[in-house]
Amino acid sequence: MSQFYINETTGSDAPGAGSEDKPYQTAAYAVFEQGDSAKFLVYKKAEEETPAGYFEISGAGLKKAKKGADGLKKKAEKAKAAEEQRLKKEADEAAKKLAAMKIEIKEDESLPKATKSKISALEVGKRYKVSGWIHRFRLQKGLAFIVLRDGSGYVQAVLSGDLANAYQTQTLTLESTVTLYGTVEKLPEGKQAAGGIELVVDYYKVIGLAPSGDEAFTNKIQEGSDPSLLLDQRHLTMRGETLSAVMKVRASFLRAIRRFYDEEDLTEVTPPCMVQTQVEGGSTLFKLDYYGEEAFLTQSSQLYLETCLPALGDVYCIQESFRAEKSHTRRHLSEYTHIEAELVFLTFEDLLSHIEKLITKTVQYTLEDPVAGPLIKQLNPDFVAPTLPFKRMEYIHALEWLNEHGIKNEDDEEFKFGDDIAEAAERKMTDTIGVPILLTRFPAEIKSFYMKRCLDDPRVTESVDVLMPTVGEITGGSMRSEGLEELIEGFKREGIKDWEESYYWFIDQRKYGTAPHGGYGLGTERILAWLCNRFTVRDCSLYPRFSGRCKP
């Protein structure tokens, strides 16, 4: 009878073990390997009257070992079956892959010629050629479903038969670019898809196959990721449905603004972005070396717009402004799209009425847009368009309201004349009142040097902030000082040095035919945050720039 050795300390449960020099580690494995008819010797340590050495396994020990061996046998059988299943699956997949690779995707020349089209222009019953990116992709038995995106919209496409089973289709990935050929049909009853249609594909080409595995799109962009990581991947996150929708609303809103200005007979101009003067205070200027001279990125185009009034009449511009504020609030950006207008020969009340009309009309036009309107409804279902007239509230009355409602200033005290109303207090008041507010007549000391003082109270200016519920200030404006002395006083109050030399061209507006005039600026991103119900203005800028963020 063969005998085998077992040593729990020095042994190893491996095929070929069992000798005295190379013993098994466990009795269970020894019985599993050699069967229960063999002789097993177990190593025991020295005890009081028994020296160390190998001794034949006890009956109880052998019984326990047999039970353990049965478990190992079942485990081995299970592993063998799993391996056989794995090998069979691999063989089946290899066979399917081979069969799929033999399928040749060819266009049926007998079909009507496909018309090249964008998704937004598809019509039921016609055969089209549509190119775009795979937004969603799903495979099931004999069918493949693609949601295609081309920027103009989304369409569900269905592939069947050889098209669905082809290897090329099996390896498609999200964000791959493809050109689909097929006929548009109404969606079957009870099913849902964008536009209520689907493209029944009869042929397609892969233009660019996106990576799979670790480099797959879903691994680059994951829902719930840290906002800073998503901003690093802004070039990819903008492909999402929400951000792209906001950008489409943005485009429609800017079209609506231009439409309104055309109707009101304002002329669009394009002032410079590199300047040597300030408009909103020197602390927020971005400095740059301009061929050895000090220059800045513009904070506002207002002063240049004022110079256009005698030549062009009422004017506006839509371009970037820059503020070097190290602020991380949800409504601040270092670069934003500034909509600014200057109007001449009007009163302060005329200016307020114009701003009301501007906001209500552009919102109306944006909501009426066939693309932007449904997107606003989708992004902001509870949005209510503002109606005329807006609530008028003077600064001094706002202080009274805040004090009556126990809202403190930044020093945790009651508001007093001359205090700047901080964002939190302003938002609390606006959200509580719940309607658009034209907040007017701010103290001269907390407003810019160019604002006109009120005749009935020289302490305050003919100035206005437009406040909207849920978003706060979206527009600021004022009548501009007409007299030269008042303008010079403003320069001195703001501590602007060398004003005679730096602002000579602006001062000339008061010398050569001064006139009553006023204007305002709108932050595009703030208005979009209000329209689209976005928590932060960063969601409303293509590539937001703020303190610590200047990429990609």
Side-chain angles (χ1 to χ4, degrees):
M1 179 185 295
S2 300
Q3 60 182 22
F4 299 94
Y5 295 83
I6 302 164
N7 188 323
E8 290 185 357
T9 304
T10 63
S12 174
D13 285 344
S19 65
E20 188 171 2
D21 293 336
K22 190 180 177 181
Y24 288 114
Q25 185 180 28
T26 64
Y29 190 84
V31 173
F32 170 70
E33 278 279 303
Q34 304 299 336
D36 56 12
S37 60
K39 182 178 182 182
F40 298 102
L41 303 175
V42 180
Y43 182 83
K44 294 183 178 180
K45 295 179 181 179
E47 295 181 357
E48 291 183 1
E49 296 182 359
T50 308
Y54 283 98
F55 299 90
E56 188 170 354
I57 192 169
S58 66
L62 183 60
K63 184 177 180 181
K64 184 178 179 182
K66 288 179 180 178
K67 187 175 181 180
D70 289 341
L72 289 173
K73 183 179 178 182
K74 290 178 182 177
K75 187 176 179 181
E77 289 172 349
K78 189 175 180 180
K80 182 181 178 182
E83 178 63 11
E84 289 175 351
Q85 185 68 23
R86 185 186 68 80
L87 292 173
K88 183 178 183 301
K89 184 178 179 182
E90 284 184 357
D92 290 344
E93 288 177 353
K96 285 181 182 179
K97 180 178 177 180
L98 185 61
M101 292 178 75
K102 289 180 179 179
I103 297 174
E104 187 177 357
I105 296 178
K106 292 194 303 183
E107 184 175 8
D108 185 347
E109 299 294 340
S110 68
L111 293 171
K113 185 177 180 181
T115 302
K116 183 179 179 182
S117 176
K118 289 190 174 182
I119 289 171
S120 59
L122 297 178
E123 296 179 9
V124 173
K126 295 183 180 180
R127 186 170 183 258
Y128 290 101
K129 171 186 175 182
V130 186
S131 298
W133 288 260
I134 296 179
H135 191 66
R136 293 194 184 91
F137 180 61
R138 177 166 56 92
L139 281 169
Q140 64 183 56
K141 290 182 179 179
L143 292 173
F145 293 93
I146 292 173
V147 174
L148 194 71
R149 181 190 75 243
D150 72 348
S152 76
Y154 302 85
V155 67
Q156 177 174 284
V158 59
L159 291 73
S160 60
D162 281 354
L163 272 183
N165 295 326
Y167 181 70
Q168 176 177 286
T169 305
Q170 306 291 314
T171 55
L172 286 176
T173 49
L174 291 182
E175 294 305 319
S176 293
T177 42
V178 294
T179 297
L180 306 180
Y181 294 71
T183 303
V184 176
E185 295 183 0
K186 281 187 178 180
L187 207 63
E189 192 72 29
K191 293 189 177 181
Q192 291 184 334
I197 60 172
E198 66 181 3
L199 183 69
V200 180
V201 179
D202 53 65
Y203 173 65
Y204 81 95
K205 296 177 183 177
V206 176
I207 308 301
L209 189 65
S212 58
D214 292 342
E215 283 292 300
F217 186 80
T218 49
N219 288 332
K220 298 281 283 186
I221 301 296
Q222 295 183 1
E223 191 174 345
S225 294
D226 185 276
S228 65
L229 296 178
L230 294 177
L231 284 170
D232 287 342
Q233 303 297 327
R234 188 70 161 191
H235 59 295
L236 299 178
T237 58
M238 72 172 67
R239 301 184 184 196
E241 293 174 27
T242 299
L243 187 52
S244 63
V246 173
M247 291 302 112
K248 288 179 181 179
V249 174
R250 179 187 174 105
S252 174
F253 174 76
L254 292 175
R255 283 196 301 272
I257 281 281
R258 285 189 165 94
R259 175 182 170 184
F260 172 82
Y261 285 142
D262 283 345
E263 292 171 349
E264 295 295 309
D265 199 24
L266 274 71
T267 301
E268 184 171 9
V269 294
T270 51
C273 285
M274 292 182 287
V275 301
Q276 291 186 310
T277 52
Q278 69 181 54
V279 182
E280 300 294 338
S283 63
T284 64
L285 285 167
F286 279 106
K287 294 183 180 181
L288 58 99
D289 185 328
Y290 187 75
Y291 304 108
E293 293 185 76
E294 184 178 66
F296 315 102
L297 295 176
T298 186
Q299 300 166 311
S300 165
S301 297
Q302 176 202 318
L303 305 190
Y304 293 96
L305 292 178
E306 289 189 50
T307 68
C308 296
L309 295 175
L312 302 170
D314 298 342
V315 292
Y316 77 96
C317 70
I318 300 175
Q319 63 182 52
E320 303 307 286
S321 285
F322 306 85
R323 304 283 171 91
E325 292 179 277
K326 291 186 177 179
S327 176
H328 286 87
T329 75
R330 58 179 176 161
R331 68 174 196 166
H332 280 92
L333 290 169
S334 296
E335 176 186 2
Y336 64 98
T337 302
H338 209 172
I339 301 165
E340 298 183 89
E342 288 293 319
L343 301 96
V344 69
F345 299 116
L346 78 167
T347 65
F348 185 42
E349 188 60 35
D350 292 335
L351 178 66
L352 296 182
S353 297
H354 169 87
I355 292 173
E356 284 180 320
K357 188 177 179 183
L358 164 77
I359 293 171
T360 53
K361 278 289 187 181
T362 52
V363 169
Q364 175 193 329
Y365 294 157
T366 307
L367 290 173
E368 289 172 352
D369 184 270
V371 173
L375 290 175
I376 293 172
K377 185 68 177 174
Q378 174 187 316
L379 295 166
N380 193 0
D382 299 325
F383 179 77
V384 177
T387 56
L388 297 175
F390 290 1
K391 180 181 178 62
R392 262 65 162 182
M393 178 184 278
E394 293 186 15
Y395 164 86
I396 190 68
H397 298 144
L399 298 190
E400 293 171 0
W401 190 97
L402 291 165
N403 289 334
E404 287 172 3
H405 289 78
I407 299 171
K408 305 296 184 181
N409 66 12
E410 290 188 299
D411 296 324
D412 199 30
E413 299 172 350
E414 284 201 346
F415 281 92
K416 59 185 181 298
F417 186 85
D419 284 348
D420 195 3
I421 303 175
E423 178 191 356
E426 185 180 81
R427 286 282 300 275
K428 181 71 173 176
M429 179 182 72
T430 309
D431 290 351
T432 303
I433 294 173
V435 296
I437 299 172
L438 295 174
L439 190 59
T440 62
R441 294 168 62 97
F442 290 88
E445 287 71 21
I446 63 173
K447 284 297 181 180
S448 298
F449 68 88
Y450 50 76
M451 293 189 178
K452 183 178 180 177
R453 291 177 184 266
C454 295
L455 293 176
D456 62 337
D457 185 355
R459 298 179 306 157
V460 296
T461 55
E462 291 188 336
S463 52
V464 59
D465 282 354
V466 181
L467 310 179
M468 286 292 175
T470 74
V471 73
E473 180 194 345
I474 60 170
T475 308
S478 76
M479 295 298 290
R480 317 310 192 189
S481 58
E482 301 162 34
L484 184 56
E485 289 184 6
E486 190 176 353
L487 179 61
I488 292 172
E489 178 192 329
F491 285 139
K492 292 178 178 178
R493 186 180 73 243
E494 291 295 321
I496 297 174
K497 298 177 182 178
D498 302 322
W499 54 268
E500 289 176 290
E501 180 181 347
S502 299
Y503 291 85
Y504 74 91
W505 51 275
F506 185 63
I507 294 169
D508 277 352
Q509 304 308 307
R510 273 65 177 174
K511 287 184 180 180
Y512 299 97
T514 190
H517 64 288
Y520 53 88
L522 292 78
T524 302
E525 290 77 13
R526 287 190 185 180
I527 290 182
L528 285 169
W530 167 57
L531 274 175
C532 299
N533 192 30
R534 298 298 93 195
F535 177 75
T536 170
V537 293
R538 297 174 188 178
D539 291 343
C540 304
S541 173
L542 190 64
Y543 284 95
R545 297 292 185 251
F546 51 91
S547 177
R549 167 66 55 181
C550 197
K551 69 175 184 181

